[in-house]
């Protein structure tokens, strides 16, 4: 795969290609044209060709794309051919929802440990993973080859815990806390800010109501 | 407020302005320059000025922005000065996490009903809201002035339920199911695709690992 700077917009679309191609693989479809893909994905065929060209292009004139090959190649670009160990910090409802979501494991994200400050939860398990006290987090991260931390805790705790995780060599943080985390260059942070998503919905709804 | 087409990028940043300005309001800060805002938000002062100019501009040369005024105005642009009734469909872990998140109510999003197909949950309550059978959903939406449906159900069910919701006049769908919903023009859909977010994290992590 060639090394070049890919725009965030293209990267954001890769998981969508991956999802649709996965469906086609499941349906036994062997090849697909950019036109057909564009119908399924409701984006333009030229955008699809352009996007996939960023990665060297996988299509052949007059043949289209080999579905399984393209699916696997995009999976590799997304790093889904590798395994990554996770810790989940915060075993409240949201944490439990994520822990129970088996698809993550299928994509190579393995939850190795779950941590919570709530003593009532300690020793309980979610899908055979024991919930441990926060005091055990740092040594666990250091000793279990943990790449990713998932933060489903309040923002004040998230800021403090992040500093510890950074010291323990965490490589990436999937952050559900409503705060922008300060991390050194080189550490990946992906935010899921639910209230911001709801506000975007609210904005669009408000616009529609003003139009009518 | 003037009527013009605002780019999605600007709209995406409005909730972030709103969050930071809310913090400044809480801290008792009365005015802020675009330079100061840019330090807090880690974006450029010129972008901030440009963004806020899309909405007519709220700043005054040499004074900066009145924090409370700007906070309230952005809230209005986002439609947060209005109340919207919601139904939550799917009372699993994710649904429960959302139902328990009190901040949504503070922003004017009121959960009026919770629905699930699981009979074990029927009659149980989350924050005093009773979980009802799916059979009651349509009449509830029709009779309770419901604007927004939150879908925390599997994708197959989400597709079917969406068609019913559309018939019952739903205005907006906050979709957590891993599927792009087909809705008629004029109905707002805001997606939260968690696995796509995790794949973006995976992509970035993979890039960093390849660089080192």
């Amino acid at each position: 795969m060639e090394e070049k700077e890919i725009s965030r917009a293209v990267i954001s679309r890769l998981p969508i290609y991956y999802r649709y191609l996965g469906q086609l693989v499941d349906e036994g479809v062997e090849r697909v044209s950019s036109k057909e893909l564009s119908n399924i994905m409701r984006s333009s065929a030229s955008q699809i060709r352009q996007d996939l060209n960023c990665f060297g292009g996988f299509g052949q004139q007059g043949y289209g794309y080999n579905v399984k090959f393209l699916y696997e190649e995009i999976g590799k670009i997304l790093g889904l051919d590798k395994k990554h160990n996770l810790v989940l910090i915060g075993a409240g409802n949201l944490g439990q929802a994520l822990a129970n979501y088996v698809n993550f494991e299928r994509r190579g994200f393995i939850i190795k440990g779950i941590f919570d400050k709530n003593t009532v939860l300690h020793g309980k398990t979610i899908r055979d993973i024991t919930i441990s006290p926060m005091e055990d987090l740092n040594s666990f991260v250091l000793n279990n080859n943990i790449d990713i931390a998932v933060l489903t805790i309040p923002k004040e705790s998230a800021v403090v815990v992040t500093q510890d995780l950074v010291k323990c060599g965490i490589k990436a943080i999937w952050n559900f806390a409503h705060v922008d985390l300060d991390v050194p260059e080189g550490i990946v942070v992906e935010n899921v800010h639910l209230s911001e998503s709801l506000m975007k919905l609210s904005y669009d709804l408000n616009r529609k109501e003003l139009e009518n």
Side-chain angles (χ1 to χ4, degrees), chain A:
Chain A
M1 210 53 51
E2 276 177 56
E3 194 69 40
K4 37 180 163 168
E5 201 59 54
I6 311 293
S7 84
R8 293 310 295 177
V10 178
I11 296 163
S12 295
R13 285 192 291 270
L14 285 181
I16 308 177
Y17 289 113
Y18 190 75
R19 175 156 54 91
Y20 279 107
L21 288 164
Q23 284 171 17
L24 293 176
V25 169
D26 288 345
E27 289 164 13
V29 176
E30 282 180 19
R31 64 185 204 180
V32 68
S33 67
S34 51
K35 178 108 184 30
E36 289 164 318
L37 256 186
S38 84
N39 287 337
I40 309 171
M41 292 187 51
R42 281 165 268 177
S43 57
S44 76
S46 75
Q47 175 163 79
I48 290 176
R49 282 192 300 270
Q50 218 174 10
D51 282 358
L52 298 179
N53 271 334
C54 292
F55 300 97
F58 305 102
Q60 248 178 286
Q61 196 89 44
Y63 174 87
Y65 298 98
N66 176 312
V67 171
K68 191 148 181 292
F69 177 75
L70 185 55
Y71 176 73
E72 283 168 2
E73 287 302 307
I74 291 180
K76 282 182 206 163
I77 295 167
L78 288 169
L80 303 177
D81 55 332
K82 297 172 189 161
K83 292 226 177 302
H84 287 292
N85 292 335
L86 267 77
V87 287
L88 178 66
I89 304 167
N93 283 312
L94 182 56
Q96 289 184 34
L98 296 176
N100 279 309
Y101 191 60
V102 288
N103 260 343
F104 294 148
E105 300 228 331
R106 260 189 249 149
R107 302 271 186 262
F109 302 98
I110 319 292
I111 300 179
K112 286 288 182 178
I114 303 177
F115 297 83
D116 200 290
K117 64 169 190 178
N118 184 354
T119 51
V120 174
L121 295 172
H122 298 158
K124 294 195 174 164
T125 59
I126 305 177
R127 293 179 51 239
D128 290 334
I129 310 155
T130 306
I131 303 174
S132 304
M134 290 300 289
E135 292 72 40
D136 299 349
L137 174 63
N138 292 359
S139 63
F140 190 90
V141 170
L142 284 167
N143 297 323
N144 289 276
N145 198 18
I146 303 297
D147 293 330
I148 305 173
V150 186
L151 300 187
T152 51
I153 47 179
K155 60 181 178 181
E156 295 77 13
S157 325
V159 170
V160 178
V161 168
T162 295
Q163 303 205 343
D164 290 339
L165 290 168
V166 167
K167 281 181 205 151
C168 297
I170 204 81
K171 291 181 185 161
I173 296 177
W174 198 21
N175 174 42
F176 287 78
H178 304 136
V179 62
D180 294 324
L181 298 171
D182 248 323
V183 296
E185 180 120 4
I187 295 182
V188 172
V189 177
E190 170 73 19
N191 293 308
V192 180
H193 288 319
L194 293 180
S195 52
E196 287 168 20
S197 168
L198 188 55
M199 285 186 209
K200 273 192 275 174
L201 178 148
S202 176
Y203 174 88
D204 288 334
L205 184 57
N206 194 33
R207 284 276 119 173
K208 300 278 178 194
E209 286 172 348
L210 291 176
E211 278 169 20
N212 295 329

